Amino acid sequence: MLRWFQRGKKQRADGLYRYGNERLIELQDVIKTYDTAAGTFTALKNINLKVDDGEFVAIVGKSGSGKSTLINMVTGIDRPTSGHVFIGDTAVHELNEGQLAQWRGRNIGIIFQFFQLLPTLTVVENVMLPMDFCNMYAPRERRDRAMKLLEQVEMAEHADKLPSATSGGQQQRVAIARALANDPPILVADEPTGNLDSRTAESVFELFESLVEQGKTIVMVTHDQDLAKRVSRTVVIADGQIIEQYLARVFPSLSEAQLVEVTREIEPRKYSAGEVILHEGSTVEKFYIIIKGGVQVVIDQPQTGEIVVASMGPGQYFGEVELLHGGHSIASIRADLHHGVEVVELDDDTFKRLAAQSSELRASVDRTAHERARENLTARGRKVHRG
Ligand code: ADP
Ligand code: MG
């Protein structure tokens, strides 16, 4: 049997998947355009998204922001105009139609807002259908397996009914059982609770939570802010772009429209292990937010050599004190010696414009300015080499 996918397990010694991707799901520089009567419309603008094995990710955003288009890239229902979609050891964007259908059937369970059960098949037959298509289970095992899945979603007693004889919430449970038919490592759901009342939505969501506990990776589009708060990560998409989550945290008072605008201007940048981002004494021209990895704050002394005065990680930032208080960098900032760092960089003008609207940030800058000055003085007074 052909396998395009080693389920969830990284096979290579370096811990990466086959194409060098480190996460189970990786969208790299994905752009999707549609040709319409009015011209070319860009629904996804350079999307980079990484999802780890076992994560429960909610995709949120206004209607028309590109959520469905985005998850159709993950399932291979639609193809990117440019960019890469890696799922485990598979380059999804490179599969032909036949390979794609087989790969999807085995590896991705898809759940839709309107259930999309086949009306002429019974509940249990609907659940067996993906097994018949992918041939992963022997024909005589299939009904038993479908019944077990229906038990898991508490629909076993309705197995022989037609979908139309069951409620919306029940149909969605059947759709989830169907999505689990071939025991895929990944479930993708497009507004699965969008057509359900809140109590039924809650029970469907709890079912998802238990599946994540059992090791599934779930990517779910939702409008429901309360549900979105209960997943391991929320990805906000607006106008075809992912809003950098750390930007939203550093500037909590910005509106979504402002965040989109800033997100458009920035480009995450990588510095390799040990690379110096700012030299002590140099003019600071940018504001940096760490989104991955870390940095060390280092000062150099003639007598003792370098001293590491602080380390910073994701969500922390630097450059703001110099940009707002003037002056040169009081220390060198270098990328973590083992992992390097990925940062978002804002130019001076953009940063000042945003900072002007954020009194929390300005207050914290004033505090940090004082703390840093003190830290540096203390560190310079020490006669030990800690570098
Ligand atoms: P969401 O799921 O967030 O509501 P979609 O991903 O469905 O948004 O759509 C994003 C944008 O792309 C919308 O403006 C929509 O009109 C447009 N779009 C989606 N599919 C097509 C298509 N096949 N042809 C043209 N435009 C499309
Ligand atoms: Mg949609």
Side-chain angles (χ1 to χ4, degrees):
M1 185 197 301
L2 255 180
R3 298 300 294 263
W4 291 286
F5 187 90
Q6 302 297 324
R7 294 175 183 232
K9 293 278 173 286
K10 296 179 187 180
Q11 300 293 306
R12 297 177 10 154
D14 58 9
L16 300 175
Y17 289 102
R18 184 164 152 203
Y19 292 92
N21 44 317
E22 55 174 1
R23 312 288 184 91
L24 180 61
I25 300 174
E26 276 198 34
L27 273 61
Q28 298 175 355
D29 302 324
V30 166
I31 294 175
K32 178 66 186 179
T33 59
Y34 291 113
D35 290 321
T36 68
T40 302
F41 175 78
T42 307
L44 296 178
K45 303 166 184 169
N46 204 51
I47 296 280
N48 285 283
L49 175 69
K50 296 179 179 180
V51 177
D52 239 331
D53 193 1
E55 268 195 287
F56 187 0
V57 175
I59 312 265
V60 300
K62 296 201 181 90
S63 181
S65 56
K67 303 180 298 295
S68 295
T69 308
L70 175 64
I71 61 165
N72 287 348
M73 299 291 129
V74 175
T75 57
I77 286 177
D78 208 347
R79 289 174 187 279
T81 306
S82 68
H84 297 156
V85 178
F86 298 116
I87 308 234
D89 286 330
T90 307
V92 179
H93 56 282
E94 286 178 356
L95 300 181
N96 66 34
E97 290 308 318
Q99 290 172 327
L100 198 53
Q102 281 290 324
W103 168 81
R104 185 189 303 128
R106 289 176 191 178
N107 296 293
I108 312 266
I110 308 180
I111 297 141
F112 302 94
Q113 182 175 355
F114 297 103
F115 330 129
Q116 298 186 5
L117 301 172
L118 287 187
T120 55
L121 297 182
T122 64
V123 159
V124 69
E125 286 165 350
N126 265 282
V127 178
M128 287 164 65
L129 201 60
M131 299 186 224
D132 295 338
F133 178 67
C134 283
N135 249 325
M136 285 181 65
Y137 299 92
R140 60 187 157 72
E141 290 175 49
R142 291 176 194 165
R143 184 169 289 266
D144 279 354
R145 177 168 170 76
M147 286 308 295
K148 287 212 180 71
L149 291 169
L150 286 172
E151 272 162 33
Q152 192 180 350
V153 302
E154 294 170 12
M155 281 298 291
E157 62 190 285
H158 305 283
D160 296 320
K161 292 182 183 167
L162 288 176
S164 56
T166 66
S167 72
Q170 289 175 328
Q171 289 185 48
Q172 194 58 305
R173 289 177 167 277
V174 174
I176 293 170
R178 177 184 60 184
L180 293 168
N182 291 320
D183 195 26
I186 300 170
L187 293 179
V188 173
D190 196 348
E191 308 205 29
T193 62
N195 202 37
L196 304 176
D197 65 72
S198 62
R199 229 184 60 218
T200 315
E202 172 65 27
S203 77
V204 165
F205 186 79
E206 282 170 8
L207 189 53
F208 281 142
E209 284 178 322
S210 74
L211 291 169
V212 171
E213 272 166 32
Q214 291 163 37
K216 300 290 183 202
T217 302
I218 302 187
V219 180
M220 174 186 75
V221 170
T222 183
H223 261 113
D224 189 326
Q225 293 292 340
D226 293 332
L227 293 186
K229 285 193 187 107
R230 290 161 54 187
V231 302
S232 60
R233 187 152 60 97
T234 302
V235 171
V236 182
I237 177 160
D239 198 14
Q241 298 178 90
I242 289 174
I243 292 180
E244 182 49 62
Q245 56 172 336
Y246 291 121
L247 204 57
R249 240 179 265 166
V250 174
F251 302 105
S253 42
L254 296 189
S255 69
E256 194 178 286
Q258 288 171 311
L259 285 168
V260 174
E261 194 195 315
V262 181
T263 301
R264 197 174 292 155
E265 289 170 23
I266 57 175
E267 185 114 25
R269 175 160 172 198
K270 278 187 186 149
Y271 291 90
S272 50
E275 191 175 347
V276 176
I277 303 165
L278 276 177
H279 286 277
E280 185 174 342
S282 64
T283 310
V284 178
E285 286 163 351
K286 286 178 188 153
F287 172 66
Y288 304 81
I289 306 171
I290 301 168
I291 57 177
K292 212 176 142 198
V295 300
Q296 294 176 326
V297 183
V298 180
I299 60 174
D300 215 354
Q301 278 197 289
Q303 313 93 307
T304 56
E306 63 172 43
I307 302 175
V308 176
V309 293
S311 302
M312 294 193 277
Q316 292 182 290
Y317 45 85
F318 54 94
E320 79 286 2
V321 179
E322 293 82 357
L323 290 177
L324 290 182
H325 282 249
H328 300 291
S329 180
I330 50 175
S332 294
I333 309 275
R334 78 171 173 219
D336 180 272
L337 295 177
H338 300 290
H339 307 290
V341 71
E342 205 171 318
V343 295
V344 152
E345 301 181 350
L346 299 182
D347 64 41
D348 190 2
D349 287 345
T350 308
F351 172 68
K352 283 182 179 148
R353 189 159 47 80
L354 300 182
Q357 297 170 45
S358 178
S359 55
E360 306 99 308
L361 181 75
R362 287 198 311 277
S364 125
V365 164
D366 293 343
R367 273 199 310 279
T368 317
H370 290 117
E371 274 166 27
R372 282 214 188 142
R374 210 176 51 232
E375 260 173 22
N376 274 280
L377 287 175
T378 322
R380 276 174 208 284
R382 280 182 217 136
K383 296 261 187 300
V384 285
H385 177 89
R386 299 202 299 151

